[in-house]
Amino acid sequence: MSEANLKSQESTVYRVQGFSCAGCAKTFEKNVKQLSGVSDAQVNFGASKVTVVGNATVEDLERAGAFENLKILPEKSKQVIPKEPFLKKYSVLFVSVAFIVLGYLSQNVYGEDNISTILAFLMAILIGGYSLFKVGLMNLIRLQFDMKTLMTVAIIGASIIGEWSEGAIVVILFAISEALERYSMDKARQSIRSLMDIAPQEALVLRNGNEITVHVDEIQVGDIMIVKPGQKIAMDGVVVKGYSSINQAAITGESVPVEKNVSDEVFAGTLNGEGLLEVKVTKLVDDTTIAKIIHLVEEAQAERAPSQAFVDRFAKYYTPAIMIIAALVAIIPPLLFNGSWEDWVYQGLAVLVVGCPCALVVSTPVSIVTAIGNAARNGVLIKGGIHLEEAGSLKAIAFDKTGTLTKGTPVVTDYKILLNNDPNELLGIIAALESRSQHPLASAIIQKAVNDDISYKEIEVVDFSSITGKGIKGRINGMDFYIGSPKLFVETLSSFDIAGIDSEIKDLQLQGKTVMVIGADQKILALLAVADEVRESSKDVIRKLHTLGLKKTIMLTGDNQGTANEIGRQVGVSEIKAELMPEDKLKFIKEMRYEYEKVAMVGDGVNDAPALASATVGIAMGGAGTDTALETADIALMGDDLSKLPFTIKLSRQALWIIKQNITFSIVIKLLALILVIPGWLTLWIAIFADMGATLLVTINSLRLLKVKE
């Protein structure tokens, strides 16, 4: 059943403690699917969660995971990772090592065939390999061939041919290899657990005039939280009283605190500075931005990257193939070439051990979980391994202009009176008309009127109407006023003569400004120019992307060509496409994909949704507090600026490179070890060290992704 179908049905999610390897997670998933009353199940190994469709109790699930002593918890329960003393945690390993030491001492004194020597190694095998055999024998009975099946057969075979000491060593080294894999996954998951601990579990709430401490689960939308200096904010909300600076690094990755005043939005898990704030709660605890980030990151870990899908397909055929090769190595030389049965059975067992796909299986998930966790801690939400890999192979990036390369908050830059009108009186009329408009630039004009202390609200406007895509009109004091683009006066209001100001309009447009013409009584009264300010970080971001080797950066905008050229020149993009409708942007993204294959689109997650969806990777700006950005984008930059984009590309490329390194190394080391079979040089020692060494190296290599910084 697909993940989409799984989510569409009524399901329950549980957290799982105790996974030692990806293979064990798959075995657990199969066991859960076989439970009575369960129609489907899906294990998310990266996040240590299982989604169950149907009826199953915690006890049922723990029985399904009894082979590895798995602990099952409801999803919303607080995870308490049991901290066992080091000696207790690895007591079985230490006891096994002690018996191996006794075995070698006995071997030196009494010989390797002495009963005390054999007994010591046998005890080491039984104690150290108990959990391994429990799973391996069960898998063997069910004809399920995974790494534990291979190791079980190899150790039993070694015992049968009298290689007790090597069988014991294989048990110990495999246990160490499993411990390394468990440690690496725990280390990778820790970046997500750290997110879970960001938001406090209690808050000081004002109720009936009293300040009381309430658990976050009991806080309702509309409650007023009191956040003292130095405290973390427990819930998303809006400041209703007070002023302070907030450290939002946990959500947006910004290192510099952000000033917050009345009506400003604040997020759960962020740290209040020196001011006392009263915050009106706007979201329940499960709907806060940090809760959504955690949920989406955990879901992302379940999304299989292309390389992981390849590894899974490869391992499906690889493990049975290794067993067949091992059997042929053990049988053919003695039967056809008069070889020693003992020597070649030993070689066959060594093939089983070296063929254990530990390193291959762990190579991809550790890299993906580590990279996604690192990105989340730096204010970037990557919603799956596939998007991580795709971002690493991008060749071109397209940018929406407004709100992406620019701040998205236009300001009036020029106001020129052309006839003998009172500038303040005319600005009041313009503001009165624009206050009734829905155009994005209207706010800039109203703000100028407010800044210049111009009164406009009492001015009566009648017969107001919008001229679609071109401007507005309205009657004030018996006179019809028109405000709009030069195109309005050329194409619709041809009775107005704007030829005399054509050069002034073009000059302003060449400066990257949007020009509005004000006319009445067949005369042009004034010109207004509005510009959207370029973000301080945009130029540096584009430069870094070019340094990283991207072939093309393109700005897509619906604005006029002059404005687009000026903004494009300032930020340094390699190509500019202006005067585009949303459908034009979609068409252009499709053309780019045909030319460059891997193309990203960066926007605000609300506008240009078709272009974002059509791109190889859709990257949304300002994910913090924006549900649309979080839900629709493949990658969300939580802060409202582009500074995290080069880091995201760098991290994705590094992850892609490390995954390829891990897969290649895992396969090559196996092939090199298998070549040693030809001269009969492969031993169980070499085999287990090749396997354990490969697992250790790919794990360490993957954890390097934690150190990737901006």
Side-chain angles (χ1 to χ4, degrees):
M1 183 180 290
S2 70
E3 188 178 349
N5 290 336
L6 188 72
K7 289 180 179 177
S8 68
Q9 297 188 36
E10 190 171 339
S11 59
T12 310
V13 181
Y14 300 91
R15 297 195 177 276
V16 185
Q17 289 181 359
F19 281 141
S20 63
C21 64
C24 302
K26 289 187 177 180
T27 301
F28 175 62
E29 182 177 275
K30 288 178 183 176
N31 291 350
V32 173
K33 288 179 178 179
Q34 292 169 3
L35 290 174
S36 176
V38 173
S39 58
D40 199 12
Q42 187 176 73
V43 168
N44 180 339
F45 176 58
S48 280
K49 292 164 71 174
V50 59
T51 303
V52 180
V53 178
N55 299 315
T57 64
V58 169
E59 291 74 19
D60 292 335
L61 296 174
E62 289 188 342
R63 277 197 297 274
F67 67 94
E68 208 176 17
N69 295 320
L70 299 179
K71 179 75 175 171
I72 310 298
L73 302 166
E75 182 186 24
K76 293 183 180 179
S77 64
K78 186 170 178 62
Q79 272 190 297
V80 179
I81 308 300
K83 292 186 178 180
E84 293 182 84
F86 182 79
L87 289 175
K88 183 180 178 182
K89 188 174 183 179
Y90 297 104
S91 58
V92 170
L93 196 59
F94 290 131
V95 171
S96 297
V97 170
F99 273 111
I100 288 175
V101 172
L102 286 174
Y104 277 111
L105 289 174
S106 177
Q107 182 175 298
N108 288 335
V109 176
Y110 304 111
E112 62 181 351
D113 294 328
N114 184 270
I115 187 64
S116 62
T117 303
I118 294 172
L119 190 61
F121 286 130
L122 178 60
M123 289 301 293
I125 290 171
L126 293 176
I127 293 171
Y130 174 74
S131 60
L132 165 65
F133 300 144
K134 191 167 66 169
V135 180
L137 289 171
M138 187 185 301
N139 289 349
L140 197 56
I141 292 168
R142 296 175 178 174
L143 297 180
Q144 295 175 350
F145 302 113
D146 63 6
M147 63 186 76
K148 291 194 173 182
T149 312
L150 296 184
M151 299 305 291
T152 299
V153 172
I155 293 163
I156 291 172
S159 302
I160 290 171
I161 64 173
E163 296 290 345
W164 298 99
S165 61
E166 295 208 24
I169 292 294
V170 168
V171 165
I172 294 303
L173 292 179
F174 183 73
I176 293 171
S177 179
E178 269 204 327
L180 287 171
E181 185 178 343
R182 191 192 297 259
Y183 169 79
S184 66
M185 287 305 298
D186 284 344
K187 183 81 173 173
R189 291 181 187 125
Q190 185 57 41
S191 58
I192 307 305
R193 291 197 194 111
S194 63
L195 287 176
M196 295 178 181
D197 295 333
I198 284 173
Q201 295 300 300
E202 293 181 331
L204 193 62
V205 175
L206 191 63
R207 286 184 180 170
N208 300 321
N210 298 316
E211 296 180 10
I212 58 172
T213 301
V214 178
H215 193 276
V216 290
D217 289 335
E218 299 172 16
I219 297 176
Q220 300 297 315
V221 172
D223 278 343
I224 303 296
M225 291 189 305
I226 297 172
V227 187
K228 296 179 180 179
Q231 287 185 337
K232 282 187 176 181
I233 298 170
M235 305 284 283
D236 284 12
V238 174
V239 177
V240 293
K241 186 177 180 182
Y243 170 83
S244 186
S245 60
I246 303 293
N247 185 333
Q248 299 188 149
I251 303 293
T252 65
E254 299 167 284
S255 56
V256 179
V258 179
E259 302 296 320
K260 296 289 183 178
N261 212 327
V262 174
S263 299
D264 286 338
E265 192 174 18
V266 293
F267 307 113
T270 56
L271 182 64
N272 185 22
E274 297 179 354
L276 179 71
L277 295 177
E278 290 189 12
V279 177
K280 184 178 181 181
V281 176
T282 56
K283 294 178 181 177
L284 296 175
V285 65
D286 290 338
D287 299 324
T288 60
T289 300
I290 189 65
K292 288 187 175 182
I293 292 172
I294 293 166
H295 174 73
L296 290 169
V297 169
E298 290 188 328
E299 290 297 305
Q301 293 173 344
E303 293 283 341
R304 294 196 309 169
S307 58
Q308 192 168 351
F310 161 75
V311 167
D312 289 346
R313 288 195 304 271
F314 184 84
K316 182 179 178 182
Y317 301 105
Y318 168 84
T319 306
I322 284 293
M323 295 197 75
I324 293 169
I325 292 169
L328 293 175
V329 168
I331 294 170
I332 289 178
L335 287 179
L336 300 183
F337 305 106
N338 201 30
S340 165
W341 278 99
E342 184 176 344
D343 290 344
W344 285 102
V345 167
Y346 178 87
Q347 288 288 302
L349 295 176
V351 169
L352 282 182
V353 174
V354 80
C356 181
C358 291
L360 187 63
V361 171
V362 81
S363 61
T364 305
V366 176
S367 301
I368 289 171
V369 172
T370 303
I372 288 174
N374 185 14
R377 287 190 292 112
N378 283 280
V380 179
L381 180 61
I382 302 175
K383 293 173 63 177
I386 185 170
H387 308 306
L388 176 73
E389 289 197 16
E390 295 282 24
S393 55
L394 290 174
K395 295 179 182 176
I397 300 182
F399 297 87
D400 179 35
K401 176 180 77 69
T402 306
T404 301
L405 293 172
T406 64
K407 292 180 179 178
T409 51
V411 293
V412 175
T413 57
D414 298 85
Y415 174 43
K416 185 174 182 180
I417 299 293
L418 299 176
L419 296 179
N420 191 25
N421 294 99
D422 183 316
N424 291 344
E425 181 184 353
L426 182 57
L427 183 58
I429 290 171
I430 295 169
L433 288 163
E434 290 290 355
S435 67
R436 289 157 174 78
S437 169
Q438 300 298 314
H439 195 278
L441 299 182
S443 59
I445 297 169
I446 294 168
Q447 188 60 48
K448 177 173 175 57
V450 171
N451 293 344
D452 292 355
D453 200 21
I454 304 296
S455 178
Y456 66 89
K457 292 183 180 178
E458 70 279 2
I459 296 176
E460 185 179 356
V461 179
V462 296
D463 296 335
F464 176 85
S465 63
S466 174
I467 305 168
T468 304
K470 294 178 181 177
I472 57 174
K473 64 170 285 191
R475 179 170 294 179
I476 297 175
N477 297 328
M479 186 179 292
D480 288 332
F481 286 86
Y482 297 88
I483 304 174
S485 65
K487 194 180 291 186
L488 169 69
F489 291 85
V490 172
E491 296 179 356
T492 307
L493 304 173
S494 55
S495 58
F496 285 83
D497 182 14
I498 67 167
I501 57 171
D502 191 51
S503 62
E504 290 182 67
I505 291 172
K506 287 181 178 177
D507 285 344
L508 290 169
Q509 288 177 338
L510 287 172
Q511 295 171 37
K513 299 171 182 178
T514 300
V515 179
M516 286 182 279
V517 181
I518 296 89
D521 194 25
Q522 311 301 314
K523 298 172 184 174
I524 304 300
L525 305 180
L527 290 178
L528 260 173
V530 178
D532 188 3
E533 294 181 276
V534 174
R535 292 181 187 272
E536 293 83 356
S537 61
S538 294
K539 184 175 182 179
D540 190 49
V541 166
I542 299 299
R543 180 186 60 77
K544 285 180 178 177
L545 291 175
H546 287 161
T547 303
L548 285 169
L550 266 85
K551 293 183 178 179
K552 183 83 72 172
T553 54
I554 306 104
M555 184 180 76
L556 308 179
T557 178
D559 215 332
N560 67 74
Q561 191 69 54
T563 300
N565 288 340
E566 177 62 20
I567 298 295
R569 182 191 63 78
Q570 288 182 43
V571 299
V573 292
S574 51
E575 190 173 336
I576 299 160
K577 294 290 180 180
E579 300 179 13
L580 301 177
M581 299 296 284
E583 56 268 28
D584 298 326
K585 293 183 181 181
L586 174 61
K587 181 182 176 182
F588 191 73
I589 289 292
K590 288 180 177 178
E591 290 173 359
M592 285 178 65
R593 288 198 67 174
Y594 180 78
E595 183 177 355
Y596 296 102
E597 293 184 19
K598 306 287 186 180
V599 176
M601 172 71 188
V602 186
D604 61 9
V606 180
N607 300 321
D608 307 315
L612 282 167
S614 178
T616 310
V617 180
I619 303 174
M621 295 275 295
T626 309
D627 291 345
T628 307
L630 286 174
E631 297 299 333
T632 60
D634 301 320
I635 296 175
L637 308 179
M638 302 308 292
D640 191 25
D641 74 90
L642 283 172
S643 62
K644 300 294 178 182
L645 185 56
F647 160 74
T648 305
I649 302 299
K650 180 181 174 183
L651 177 67
S652 301
R653 286 186 176 181
Q654 186 74 1
L656 193 58
W657 175 234
I658 283 177
I659 288 168
K660 288 177 179 177
Q661 285 177 344
N662 287 349
I663 292 173
T664 303
F665 176 75
S666 301
I667 294 173
V668 168
I669 201 73
K670 303 293 182 187
L671 292 175
L672 289 175
L674 288 173
I675 289 171
L676 296 178
V677 171
I678 298 170
W681 295 347
L682 184 62
T683 67
L684 285 173
W685 281 77
I686 293 174
I688 193 64
F689 271 117
D691 178 64
M692 189 180 76
T695 303
L696 178 60
L697 287 173
V698 299
T699 298
I700 292 172
N701 200 32
S702 298
L703 292 178
R704 287 196 299 127
L705 289 166
L706 287 173
K707 296 184 178 180
V708 177
K709 304 296 180 186
E710 290 183 59

